[in-house]
Amino acid sequence: TFPALGFIINGLFGRKASKNLISWIACLAIFFSFCISAAIFYQFLHLPPTERVFEKNVFDWVVSGEFSTTIGFRIDALSIVMCLVVSGVGFLIHVYSVGYMHDDPGFRRYFTYLNLFVFMMLILVTANNVLLMFVGWEGVGLCSYLLIGFWYKKDSASNAGKKAFIVNRIGDFGFLLGIFLLVSTLATKGIWTLNFGELQKHAVLLDTSLATMITLLFFVGATGKSAQIPLYVWLPDAMEGPTPVSSLIHAATMVTAGVYMIARLNFLYSMAPLTMYVVAFV
């Protein structure tokens, strides 16, 4: 929630604030997120491995007939490590950006986008279901467009932003098809959920061919987000954004989203040897 608060405060009320105040709000928002992540990680170290899972459903989100999904979050060994990386590296990049962007007229806009990016990335890695993860997935795609094309008055920058956005839409279409195929397949077997824990329990109901198709479609999304063949073409142009953006997007967060997604859905990928060969080859 802290990056979201930073985004709201600087976005709505930062117009008349000093650069000093804007940077403090933006940096502290990420620092507090890192502190909370570190505290949870410390608590996990003192728990037995089998108990290092915390899941909380906040409220029902999409309910239609027998299908339902929630706004819910899952903290486990995988997600807490990603939270530490995103918030820790994100904080350092925020601090570096204060000096790098100090004389830029878009200073407030830059830190507003940066806080939103980190918030969306944290949504992606803490979501407890595929649909909420996709919200974070799309959120970082939007923020990458805004940050890569930050200096939008330059044609090269605006074109680079549009290129990243369009290429990622191609990958995300594959991701969506994978979600649709997963839901429709499980629905025929009476399973109406996208929760990761529940999916892992019921994954045995999928045969190898269906698991292969679903995981390949998800991998199309990963090639877009993580800039892998064949959807890597947006990455070289993305250097048109400010240098700290390149550090955040291309090293620490967004390009690891595809890797995280495959790790989170490892129970599906382990059922699809052909997909794992494709992933290894790419």
Side-chain angles (χ1 to χ4, degrees):
T1 57
F2 287 114
L5 286 173
F7 163 71
I8 292 168
I9 293 169
N10 280 335
L12 296 180
F13 310 112
R15 194 173 297 277
K16 296 181 180 178
S18 66
K19 289 184 177 180
N20 197 35
L21 179 60
I22 289 169
S23 58
W24 271 101
I25 291 170
C27 292
L28 284 176
I30 310 304
F31 179 70
F32 289 150
S33 291
F34 175 73
C35 290
I36 291 173
S37 300
I40 296 171
F41 180 74
Y42 180 76
Q43 288 181 347
F44 270 27
L45 292 177
H46 293 82
L47 292 173
T50 54
E51 295 180 19
R52 293 173 185 171
V53 178
F54 172 79
E55 190 161 335
K56 175 71 172 177
N57 289 323
V58 181
F59 59 87
D60 290 335
W61 177 25
V62 179
V63 179
S64 176
E66 295 181 69
F67 176 80
S68 67
T69 190
T70 62
I71 299 294
F73 301 94
R74 179 186 177 95
I75 304 295
D76 57 15
L78 177 60
S79 59
I80 196 60
V81 168
M82 287 299 294
C83 285
L84 285 170
V85 172
V86 171
S87 58
V89 177
F91 171 67
L92 296 176
I93 291 167
H94 272 69
V95 172
Y96 179 76
S97 296
V98 175
Y100 188 91
M101 298 296 289
H102 188 267
D103 297 322
D104 195 282
F107 188 87
R108 178 186 68 92
R109 181 166 56 92
Y110 174 82
F111 278 100
T112 301
Y113 292 165
L114 220 57
N115 270 189
L116 180 63
F117 185 98
V118 174
F119 171 65
M120 287 298 179
M121 191 66 199
L122 289 173
I123 290 286
L124 192 159
V125 300
T126 58
N128 73 348
N129 62 80
V130 177
L131 210 55
L132 186 59
M133 179 171 72
F134 188 69
V135 171
W137 188 274
E138 288 299 292
V140 294
L142 169 65
C143 293
S144 70
Y145 163 73
L146 295 172
L147 286 165
I148 292 168
F150 182 77
W151 289 313
Y152 58 88
K153 292 183 180 179
K154 288 169 54 183
D155 284 343
S156 56
S158 61
N159 289 338
K162 286 183 282 189
K163 186 174 184 179
F165 193 78
I166 292 167
V167 171
N168 273 281
R169 295 296 69 73
I170 297 169
D172 295 350
F173 182 64
F175 195 119
L176 268 176
L177 290 178
I179 294 174
F180 295 155
L181 183 56
L182 179 62
V183 171
S184 60
T185 303
L186 290 176
T188 61
K189 304 178 186 300
I191 309 300
W192 298 87
T193 182
L194 285 172
N195 178 280
F196 293 125
E198 293 298 314
L199 288 177
Q200 188 164 2
K201 289 179 188 176
H202 300 299
V204 291
L205 298 175
L206 299 173
D207 59 41
T208 302
S209 60
L210 277 170
T212 300
M213 289 175 64
I214 291 166
T215 50
L216 281 174
L217 287 168
F218 281 145
F219 184 59
V220 172
T223 60
K225 275 289 176 289
S226 295
Q228 301 299 307
I229 294 171
L231 300 179
Y232 67 95
V233 293
W234 63 270
L235 189 59
D237 302 84
M239 298 303 164
E240 286 290 340
T243 299
V245 170
S246 299
S247 302
L248 187 67
I249 293 177
H250 312 143
T253 55
M254 195 176 93
V255 295
T256 63
V259 181
Y260 169 80
M261 183 269 292
I262 291 175
R264 174 58 73 199
L265 297 174
N266 69 86
F267 53 88
L268 289 178
Y269 280 83
S270 63
M271 297 171 59
L274 176 61
T275 304
M276 292 199 289
Y277 279 121
V278 172
V279 172
F281 179 77
V282 170

